[in-house]
Amino acid sequence: MNFERFEAEARRLWNEIPEQAREGVDGLTIETEVAAHPDFDWVYTMGECLTETWPSGVGGDGDVLSELVLYHGSFRALAEEDPDFDWAGELWETILHELLHHRESAAGESGLDEVDWAQEQNLRRLAGEPFDPDFYRTVPAGPAGVVKLESELFVESTVSERALEAVFEWRGRRYAVEVPVLSPRAFVEVTNLAGGRLCVVVRRRHPWWRFGLGTGRPPVELSGRARPLPAMGC
């Protein structure tokens, strides 16, 4: 999709959103360039919500005004990597995502910012950079405690100090996966469930006199196959 078509489609979609939902957004700006991530050149910024708070005339916070920016170059770069790239779907999703940033800012909320932060930490994990190992906990869990971050799924399992397997639930069934010995924290990619997108975050319980020992070590990363367990009571 060339820039002219991209801009026309973006403005068409923007104008479909009710004016009340767009309140406080000064405008939609379409840029031609690629907006690459400052640390990971394989990650692209599709859009941004640039927000300012204007003080009221009587003191305190006043109006929250935002400008939504879309980067055609980033969309084009992703489309070149993926022959099935859905231009219209990604464009609509990006507009709604950035608009939600504005509405949360106007309401004094930060839920979406926390999700974006968690995604940033997961990128750092995948790139082998230092990261906060509790990042997935900032995102509300769905059924059975599963956390979804873009295309990845996380489920937590707490095991005893000497356990060799971690037990977790997936889609109503219980499974076990092997875990590394003596590691206080591990991220285990389960290769035979959810298309390899499921990651079990393993946390070990330690006796109280060992509290804090080894917690500064980075989590271990590995993959493994989960085996189904008999239903409870069987």
Side-chain angles (χ1 to χ4, degrees):
M1 185 182 293
N2 62 30
F3 180 80
E4 290 72 20
R5 286 183 57 201
F6 180 85
E7 182 176 27
E9 180 67 6
R11 298 200 183 283
R12 183 187 70 79
L13 292 172
W14 177 247
N15 290 327
E16 285 187 359
I17 299 173
E19 288 188 14
Q20 184 178 4
R22 292 183 284 152
E23 184 179 355
V25 179
D26 277 349
L28 180 69
T29 300
I30 319 294
E31 301 286 359
T32 59
E33 67 262 24
V34 176
H37 191 284
D39 298 319
F40 313 115
D41 57 9
W42 44 275
V43 177
Y44 303 103
T45 297
M46 315 289 278
E48 289 186 286
C49 178
L50 307 178
T51 299
E52 293 184 349
T53 300
W54 293 83
S56 67
V58 294
D61 292 338
D63 293 333
V64 174
L65 301 178
S66 300
E67 176 188 6
L68 267 57
V69 183
L70 301 175
Y71 296 99
H72 174 254
S74 295
F75 282 79
R76 187 182 64 247
L78 286 175
E80 290 173 353
E81 297 175 0
D82 180 7
D84 297 321
F85 184 75
D86 182 2
W87 280 86
E90 294 290 344
L91 182 54
W92 179 239
E93 183 177 331
T94 302
I95 289 173
L96 293 181
H97 182 92
E98 302 309 331
L99 179 58
L100 183 54
H101 268 299
H102 164 74
R103 294 191 61 81
E104 286 195 347
S105 294
E109 300 174 355
S110 59
L112 196 56
D113 287 338
E114 292 172 355
V115 171
D116 286 351
W117 175 83
Q119 291 173 343
E120 173 80 10
Q121 294 300 307
N122 192 41
L123 283 175
R124 297 183 65 83
R125 177 183 75 87
L126 295 173
E129 299 286 343
F131 68 97
D132 186 328
D134 289 326
F135 68 87
Y136 61 94
R137 288 186 163 189
T138 66
V139 181
V146 177
V147 171
K148 186 176 188 302
L149 270 177
E150 292 190 333
S151 62
E152 288 196 81
L153 304 164
F154 298 87
V155 63
E156 188 175 287
S157 178
T158 301
V159 302
S160 65
E161 183 182 21
R162 300 182 183 277
L164 300 179
E165 290 186 319
V167 175
F168 64 96
E169 183 177 329
W170 172 250
R171 294 186 174 176
R173 293 198 62 180
R174 295 169 65 247
Y175 293 85
V177 65
E178 290 185 7
V179 295
V181 180
L182 302 179
S183 176
R185 187 83 60 95
F187 284 77
V188 183
E189 178 188 334
V190 179
T191 58
N192 59 323
L193 295 177
R197 298 180 299 117
L198 179 63
C199 185
V200 179
V201 185
V202 181
R203 305 166 67 97
R204 285 192 182 274
R205 292 189 297 266
H206 293 287
W208 63 266
W209 60 86
R210 294 187 185 177
F211 181 76
L213 294 179
T215 56
R217 288 185 291 168
V220 174
E221 297 276 349
L222 70 160
S223 61
R225 293 179 62 83
R227 63 180 183 87
L229 297 176
M232 296 293 289
C234 294

